Amino acid sequence: MFDRGYWRSLPVPHVDLASLHALAKLLEDADASSQSAVMGAALVSHETSRRDVHASPVHDIPVRSVFGSAATEDELAAEKAAAQTQSVKSFERKRPSRKPFPEHLPRERVVIAAPESCPCCGSAKLSKLGEDVTETLEVIPRQWKVIQTVREKFSCRECEKITQPPAPFHVTPRGFAGPNLLAMILFEKFGQHQPLNRQSERYAREGIDLSVSTLADQVGACALVLQPLHALIETHVLAAERLHGDDTTVPILAKGKTATGHIWTYVRDDRPFGGTSPPAALYYASRDRRQDHPERHLQDFTGILQADAYSGYNTLYDPSRAQGPAPALCWAHTRGQFFELADIAANARRGKKAPAISPIAFEAVKRIDALFDIERDINGLTEEQRLAVRQERSAPLLLKLEEWLREERSRLSRSASVAKPIDYMLRRWDRFARFIEDGRICLTNNAAERALRGFALGRKSWLFAGSERGAARAAAMATLIMTAKLNDVDPQAWLADVLTRVADTPQNRLHELLPWNWQPRQILMASAA
């Protein structure tokens, strides 16, 4: 049995906190190899002090004697590394400042009456020193008005013939809505995704009775009037050297249910490779996703088609065709498949049910991101400049990526989660690597993805298209509105002006009304004067 009195009689060693802090500091500054040496020396010292508690308390052991020369070398190495390390400026949060209101807005000056006498002594001898101005943004509620167009009748005293000026043009037959009202209805429905029933309710609250059927008739008539402009945009898009293509689902009303229809988009945007042709977007609607739809849309297209790996495009790429588009796949799509397996933040949110992070997917994302970094540097350059940079910088990275993917795939089982995105790339590697051979090709298909975002948002508002004709009408109006947006033109103002002028514009001058050629009537009148 142990003698408790003996253990109580032993002196408690005094611990020098300063020495322990010095030990912790040196361990932090030292590298891995030096830390093992320091810890070894500390353990030897601890064993010695444990054997002879009475003779050698901890505070009697000098720190330098414990660490020896290793500690001195570690301190020198730490000081040298600190001197060579670049200092990073800490982040300084800027005080938020509100931007000034646009200068073109009218200013209404409201002056608060000044006091007639001094509030301190009551003297009336006041002298103005200056003024402080506070600006408040305000909006004028929408105002409705009725325009009365008067056509006077005259009769001739000689021949008794009655003359009268012709009636003004209306966009719709027996129309009662002006071009600005029609443009607002169209833009709200197809640009802001507001169904006609919501518009009708809002107009009723403002005292205007416009039923849903009446609004629908106006929309259909406007779509018919604007059809020639849609045809011009279609011709312009399909004449491109390169197109972005994609599709999305749109429910279409059927008997007792909704069918899964599709909206197809083809975007022409030559700006990434320094092209001067104006950008434009073209939309089509279909009740299903059969491959004959893209075949019909692109039957005369012979450029580069950037799209996903949808099998419906394969007949377009058939080598037996006399002329057909050249395929180029989207790197953002395949990167997303790897990113899902390497998303640390998403796994943290899933908790215990989260799958393990794939180191192969993580490495693949890093290698693909290196290609995207190069693309950011050459965006907007000419085709020749982009191709030269890609041959110099991207080609070696692409070769290493292919070799690495094939090597990693040979080690993986068929059931590995990361094997699917690897196979997706390797089976279509020639289409992924085509950007090395052509400076016009973009690395992603984001242009088409952005063009379809409106329909993805609209599905949550209008839920479904009422018919195939309604879906085709939505596709035609989306073509006009999205093309205006791509050319930095206000779609509502453009539609209002086009609906006003389209009847008086000859067929051979309709191209002047296209968004990239359009000039508001005020500018035309000023230039004519």
Side-chain angles (χ1 to χ4, degrees):
M1 298 294 291
F2 294 103
D3 187 0
R4 294 183 179 178
Y6 170 77
W7 293 106
R8 291 194 183 99
S9 63
L10 290 176
V12 179
H14 174 70
V15 178
D16 187 0
L17 294 180
S19 300
L20 293 180
H21 286 309
L23 171 62
K25 178 61 177 176
L26 289 174
L27 287 176
E28 291 178 0
D29 295 340
D31 55 8
S33 60
S34 301
Q35 283 182 6
S36 60
V38 173
M39 291 301 296
L43 289 175
V44 171
S45 173
H46 176 69
E47 288 295 329
T48 305
S49 61
R50 187 178 63 84
R51 292 194 190 101
D52 191 2
V53 177
H54 300 277
S56 184
V58 174
H59 69 281
D60 290 334
I61 303 175
V63 177
R64 290 290 180 184
S65 64
V66 173
F67 300 116
S69 61
T72 304
E73 294 176 358
D74 295 335
E75 289 179 355
L76 294 175
E79 293 176 358
K80 184 177 180 181
Q84 296 177 352
T85 303
Q86 296 180 354
S87 59
V88 180
K89 186 178 180 180
S90 60
F91 173 75
E92 296 181 1
R93 184 177 298 276
K94 296 183 179 180
R95 185 176 181 180
S97 60
R98 187 178 63 189
K99 294 182 178 180
F101 297 128
E103 294 294 334
H104 68 272
L105 294 180
R107 260 63 175 180
E108 180 181 343
R109 187 177 176 86
V110 178
V111 180
I112 300 176
E116 297 180 355
S117 60
C118 178
C120 181
C121 65
S123 173
K125 297 180 179 180
L126 299 179
S127 178
K128 183 176 179 179
L129 299 178
E131 61 183 17
D132 293 330
V133 179
T134 302
E135 291 191 338
T136 304
L137 187 64
E138 188 56 280
V139 62
I140 300 176
R142 181 166 51 200
Q143 297 179 354
W144 297 80
K145 67 178 181 179
V146 177
I147 299 177
Q148 294 182 339
T149 304
V150 180
R151 297 184 296 137
E152 297 179 332
K153 294 181 181 180
F154 294 89
S155 69
C156 179
R157 293 296 184 180
E158 296 293 334
C159 63
E160 300 297 331
K161 184 177 181 180
I162 298 176
T163 61
Q164 186 182 29
F169 167 75
H170 277 284
V171 177
T172 59
R174 299 181 302 276
F176 63 91
N180 284 285
L181 175 57
L182 294 173
M184 181 179 68
I185 295 172
L186 293 174
F187 183 67
E188 288 290 325
K189 176 175 174 58
F190 300 106
Q192 300 298 324
H193 322 297
Q194 293 297 315
L196 295 180
N197 64 310
R198 295 185 189 175
Q199 295 190 49
S200 177
E201 293 172 359
R202 188 171 75 249
Y203 301 152
R205 288 193 294 268
E206 299 177 16
I208 307 298
D209 184 18
L210 294 174
S211 65
V212 176
S213 60
T214 301
L215 294 177
D217 291 340
Q218 303 301 309
V219 169
C222 290
L224 184 62
V225 170
L226 296 171
Q227 183 62 35
L229 291 179
H230 177 273
L232 292 178
I233 294 177
E234 180 181 32
T235 303
H236 172 74
V237 170
L238 296 180
E241 300 177 3
R242 186 207 61 181
L243 285 182
H244 294 272
D246 204 356
D247 66 288
T248 189
T249 58
V250 170
I252 299 177
L253 191 63
K255 292 183 179 180
K257 60 177 182 179
T258 57
T260 304
H262 280 263
I263 293 290
W264 307 79
T265 185
Y266 304 99
V267 179
R268 176 177 185 174
D269 192 352
D270 301 342
R271 292 172 294 181
F273 59 89
T276 57
S277 297
L282 178 64
Y283 296 86
Y284 295 106
S286 65
R287 179 169 285 273
D288 49 47
R289 205 191 184 201
R290 296 199 310 268
Q291 67 181 21
D292 58 337
H293 297 300
E295 288 181 20
R296 184 178 68 257
H297 303 157
L298 304 175
Q299 57 183 346
D300 297 326
F301 178 67
T302 58
I304 300 169
L305 178 60
Q306 293 203 231
D308 54 21
Y310 169 52
S311 59
Y313 296 123
N314 290 341
T315 54
L316 295 171
Y317 309 143
D318 190 353
S320 61
R321 289 171 58 102
Q323 289 182 335
L329 295 183
C330 174
W331 280 81
H333 184 75
T334 188
R335 181 189 180 277
Q337 298 182 33
F338 285 113
F339 187 80
E340 290 179 359
L341 301 175
D343 191 354
I344 299 176
N347 275 27
R349 291 192 297 268
R350 296 189 187 108
K352 296 181 179 180
K353 298 182 179 180
I357 295 294
S358 171
I360 298 178
F362 192 85
E363 178 64 21
V365 171
K366 288 177 56 180
R367 291 172 180 259
I368 294 175
D369 285 347
L371 295 174
F372 277 101
D373 290 339
I374 299 174
E375 292 299 308
R376 293 186 186 95
D377 295 337
I378 63 177
N379 187 38
L381 299 182
T382 63
E383 174 187 351
E384 294 76 13
Q385 291 172 329
R386 287 161 61 92
L387 183 60
V389 174
R390 285 174 174 175
Q391 291 288 345
E392 178 184 355
R393 298 172 57 187
S394 300
L397 298 179
L398 191 66
L399 181 60
K400 293 180 181 179
L401 175 61
E402 181 185 11
E403 295 175 353
W404 177 77
L405 286 175
R406 295 191 183 279
E407 181 181 357
E408 293 295 334
R409 183 63 185 91
S410 63
R411 302 173 182 174
L412 294 173
S413 64
R414 187 176 300 177
S415 59
S417 58
V418 75
K420 182 178 179 180
I422 293 178
D423 290 340
Y424 177 83
M425 286 196 70
L426 294 180
R427 291 171 183 170
R428 305 167 179 86
W429 187 256
D430 57 335
R431 301 182 184 181
F432 278 107
R434 181 156 285 139
F435 76 99
I436 292 294
E437 306 169 358
D438 196 320
R440 297 170 297 177
I441 299 177
C442 285
L443 217 58
T444 71
N445 196 32
N446 289 345
E449 298 283 351
R450 289 191 297 267
L452 288 175
R453 189 175 299 169
F455 283 94
L457 295 174
R459 285 195 300 256
K460 300 179 181 180
S461 297
W462 36 260
L463 302 181
F464 56 85
S467 62
E468 288 189 59
R469 185 175 61 178
R473 183 182 300 161
M477 292 306 306
T479 298
L480 301 174
I481 292 175
M482 180 55 67
T483 300
K485 288 182 178 180
L486 289 175
N487 289 274
D488 297 326
V489 172
D490 181 5
Q492 184 171 337
W494 173 69
L495 286 172
D497 190 64
V498 166
L499 290 174
T500 303
R501 297 162 52 187
V502 66
D504 298 330
T505 304
Q507 186 74 20
N508 58 355
R509 295 182 59 187
L510 277 178
H511 63 276
E512 297 177 2
L513 300 180
L514 292 172
W516 53 86
N517 295 328
W518 173 70
Q519 289 184 337
R521 173 173 290 188
Q522 296 84 351
I523 298 178
L524 293 177
M525 294 176 63
S527 60

